Amino acid sequence: MKITFLETSDMHGYVAPTNFSDDQEQGFGTAKVAAKMKQLKAEANGPVITIENGDFIQGSPLSYYIAKSQHPVAALTAPVNQLGVDAHVLGNHEFNYGLDYLKEAISSYQSPVLAANIVNDTGEPFFGQAYTIIEKEGVKIAVLGLVTQYIPHWEQPATIKGMTFQSIVDTAKVYVPKLRELADIVVISYHGGFEKDLTTGEPTELLTGENEGYQLLHEVSGIDALFTGHQHREIAGVVNGVPVVQPGFRGSFIGKIELTVTTDEGRVRVVEREAALVPVADAAPDEATLALLAPINEELNTWLDQPLGQVQGDMRITDPMGARIKEHPYIEFINQVQMAASGAKISGTALFNNEGKGFGSTITMRDVITNYIYPNTLAVVRVTGAELKGALEQTANYLVSEAGQIIFNPAFIDPKPQYYNYDMYEGIDYTIDLRQPTGQRITALAFEGAAIGMEQPLDIVINQYRAVGGGNYDMFSADKIIREIQVDMTELIADYLKAHPVIEATTNQNFTVIA
């Protein structure tokens, strides 16, 4: 018998096939996933199990609008319920809108939500279920749900109060042997990815515990299939004898694993394993899925098209890399918003990806939310001059010089683009000299016209993700936060534009990058 597993992951609230910036149909979204999944189920020769691997309720203008409006999160999760999912796993971005919103989302799902390694004070799963056992044609299949243990490095302490995030490897070592006694097949759905090259075993990132997939596959036996996510990578293969998939993001692919099983003397054995990614781009969007959110989408588009302000000059981004090495008016604007909201004299921000287009002559909410894509709040951290220099040295590592041309460091593009971890600052003057050795590239650093002393205390406004050390910026931490601005950055930008309806596209060119 052949058992087919279909996985989605990191759909980030994209339901219709749109990127919200134009009318062109995109090759992703839950509606296309729904259509393709119906096809795959019809084609399957045997039972089918579907798994949603997390990061669904945050990440798109639609999910943001629902979270901030009077609509319940159930309106957003309805398309996933319509997929007929057998099990859900929590993702790290499920926590972004707070614990109450997360609990509301969990309650809205019509199948089990799994998170074995998030435990309460008594060591039991905080959200109720570690695994589920599904029986198909006499075969019992256990699905163990695991989540990246790194969430405390990104979330506010109040959101995760009472939770302990354990290593998925340690957790799997406890559960997998038990599940092998309870079920014939044991699979893991992990909202996390791989910390090492799947062929060579060489580390592809700092080994912080954020991604533990490689270690899991090499230290825990008894796993029949592994479904992953979080890194937004496109992976399908067999690693250490285990079929593995990771289906990109926004619903661009469905991860598919087929296990052929046979029964000998009452014991089920896996005799063949196949892993593949199925693109959804060629599927026509499922009309029933689109209909679920049609009224909200009308509201959303009206909201997105409301004008907020005007630009004098040019604030469009035509060269994302150029905007990182020479200060761009959009970056200066975001830093000005952060400084105005916080009262801090120094601000840091990033150009999160290469898709943002900046602002045209008229700024709409659509422009704001498709450029500033994360639901960040702000925090002011008090650090020393040495700690600020350390942060700048780290951000300098995201740039390299090749043949005299400055490019984004390929080590931070593959396997996962990390454009959001390269910060640009306002309120200080600094120089990054890429000709110098690592750790010695900040060759000038001044505040208010004077060189910054290494012991000098400085207040800096950054997003909350960075303030607690996100992106492995260890010089920042929650204990250095002296003030928080508990208003989403999108709202802060809109409020700033209400107070300053006409903004000038200017820069003071306070930083220089030398190759």
Side-chain angles (χ1 to χ4, degrees):
M1 180 175 68
K2 184 172 288 187
I3 304 172
T4 300
F5 296 84
L6 303 176
E7 179 213 15
T8 60
S9 189
D10 299 270
M11 289 197 285
H12 285 289
Y14 283 85
V15 178
T18 176
N19 60 11
F20 297 94
S21 65
D22 54 46
D23 295 331
Q24 183 175 350
E25 180 175 302
Q26 304 294 317
F28 53 70
T30 311
K32 282 182 173 280
V33 167
K36 182 63 69 172
M37 201 167 275
K38 286 179 182 178
Q39 175 189 332
L40 294 175
K41 287 180 178 180
E43 293 172 352
N45 182 21
V48 177
I49 293 173
T50 56
I51 298 171
E52 211 298 299
N53 190 53
D55 276 7
F56 183 79
I57 64 172
Q58 179 278 334
S60 72
L62 172 65
S63 60
Y64 177 88
Y65 180 74
I66 288 175
K68 299 298 181 179
S69 69
Q70 75 277 13
H71 296 289
V73 67
L76 181 63
T77 58
V80 178
N81 285 328
Q82 192 160 280
L83 290 177
V85 172
D86 292 296
H88 300 266
V89 174
L90 294 182
N92 55 296
H93 284 289
E94 255 75 54
F95 291 80
N96 287 173
Y97 292 126
L99 185 57
D100 290 342
Y101 194 75
L102 171 54
K103 288 182 176 179
E104 184 184 340
I106 290 172
S107 296
S108 74
Y109 286 127
Q110 297 172 359
S111 51
V113 178
L114 313 176
N117 63 313
I118 306 176
V119 299
N120 59 22
D121 293 339
T122 64
E124 297 298 316
F126 187 93
F127 294 99
Q129 278 192 251
Y131 62 87
T132 187
I133 296 179
I134 303 161
E135 186 165 346
K136 297 279 188 177
E137 298 186 21
V139 177
K140 292 181 178 179
I141 301 106
V143 181
L144 176 66
L146 300 170
V147 187
T148 174
Q149 64 163 313
Y150 213 61
I151 289 172
H153 294 265
W154 304 315
E155 285 300 329
Q156 299 182 23
T159 301
I160 56 174
K161 185 177 181 180
M163 303 179 204
T164 298
F165 292 77
Q166 299 176 331
S167 162
I168 67 142
V169 177
D170 295 340
T171 303
K173 286 178 178 177
V174 172
Y175 277 99
V176 170
K178 293 180 180 179
L179 294 176
R180 293 236 64 96
E181 296 294 322
L182 297 173
D184 302 302
I185 302 293
V186 176
V187 305
I188 290 178
S189 185
Y190 169 38
H191 190 86
F194 300 97
E195 72 282 24
K196 296 182 179 181
D197 184 278
L198 296 179
T199 303
T200 67
E202 291 296 315
T204 53
E205 62 187 41
L206 292 175
L207 301 181
T208 61
E210 177 181 351
N211 299 296
E212 301 177 88
Y214 186 91
Q215 184 183 359
L216 176 73
L217 289 173
H218 288 79
E219 291 190 14
V220 182
S221 60
I223 303 169
D224 291 306
L226 175 62
F227 304 89
T228 68
H230 181 56
Q231 293 174 309
H232 297 184
R233 296 168 66 184
E234 298 165 11
I235 297 172
V238 177
V239 182
N240 204 29
V242 180
V244 171
V245 287
Q246 187 171 140
F249 72 118
R250 293 181 181 172
S252 52
F253 293 89
I254 295 170
K256 178 182 178 183
I257 290 179
E258 292 180 327
L259 299 180
T260 302
V261 302
T262 186
T263 303
D264 295 327
E265 297 180 356
R267 181 173 175 268
V268 175
R269 291 191 306 112
V270 177
V271 293
E272 290 184 18
R273 305 160 179 83
E274 295 180 52
L277 294 181
V278 181
V280 307
D282 64 341
D286 180 67
E287 291 297 333
T289 300
L290 293 177
L292 288 171
L293 286 161
I296 294 177
N297 271 317
E298 286 190 24
E299 293 177 28
L300 169 64
N301 282 310
T302 299
W303 179 73
L304 288 174
D305 288 333
Q306 61 180 302
L308 299 174
Q310 299 291 321
V311 175
Q312 290 184 347
D314 190 356
M315 203 175 279
R316 295 169 299 171
I317 299 172
T318 57
D319 177 8
M321 193 60 217
R324 295 185 175 100
I325 59 178
K326 184 177 181 181
E327 189 178 29
H328 189 278
Y330 171 79
I331 296 299
E332 180 148 314
F333 169 73
I334 295 298
N335 275 322
Q336 287 174 346
V337 172
Q338 294 187 172
M339 294 161 82
S342 65
K345 294 182 178 180
I346 304 172
S347 173
T349 192
L351 185 59
F352 298 131
N353 58 29
N354 287 341
E355 297 177 10
K357 297 178 180 179
F359 296 153
S361 58
T362 299
I363 306 173
T364 65
M365 182 59 78
R366 188 184 302 275
D367 297 320
V368 171
I369 205 166
T370 54
N371 280 280
Y372 201 101
I373 59 175
Y374 295 119
N376 287 328
T377 56
L378 300 176
V380 178
V381 293
R382 181 163 292 165
V383 298
T384 65
E387 288 167 330
L388 172 58
K389 183 176 184 296
L392 291 169
E393 292 286 2
Q394 179 156 333
T395 210
N397 291 335
Y398 287 87
L399 304 177
V400 294
S401 176
E402 285 190 358
Q405 182 180 3
I406 302 170
I407 64 172
F408 206 86
N409 191 336
F412 300 109
I413 296 177
D414 184 26
K416 179 183 179 179
Q418 297 181 43
Y419 300 116
Y420 52 84
N421 280 331
Y422 171 74
D423 293 333
M424 292 161 282
Y425 283 80
E426 184 60 46
I428 57 174
D429 295 285
Y430 63 99
T431 298
I432 299 174
D433 188 346
L434 297 176
R435 299 170 301 182
Q436 304 305 315
T438 300
Q440 302 176 38
R441 292 174 173 165
I442 306 305
T443 57
L445 180 58
F447 172 58
E448 295 184 334
I452 292 176
M454 292 300 95
E455 300 300 321
Q456 182 177 346
L458 299 164
D459 293 351
I460 305 170
V461 60
I462 46 182
N463 66 55
Q464 201 272 341
Y465 166 80
R466 183 73 77 242
V468 296
N472 301 316
Y473 279 78
D474 295 335
M475 64 291 299
F476 301 133
S477 57
D479 63 327
K480 293 174 182 173
I481 295 174
I482 61 169
R483 187 163 67 255
E484 294 189 62
I485 298 86
Q486 296 286 1
V487 179
D488 187 282
M489 258 302 282
T490 304
E491 296 177 42
L492 291 177
I493 294 169
D495 290 343
Y496 185 91
L497 289 168
K498 288 176 185 176
H500 307 84
V502 180
I503 59 174
E504 293 186 13
T506 60
T507 66
N508 58 10
Q509 296 300 315
N510 65 295
F511 69 85
T512 303
V513 183
I514 301 172

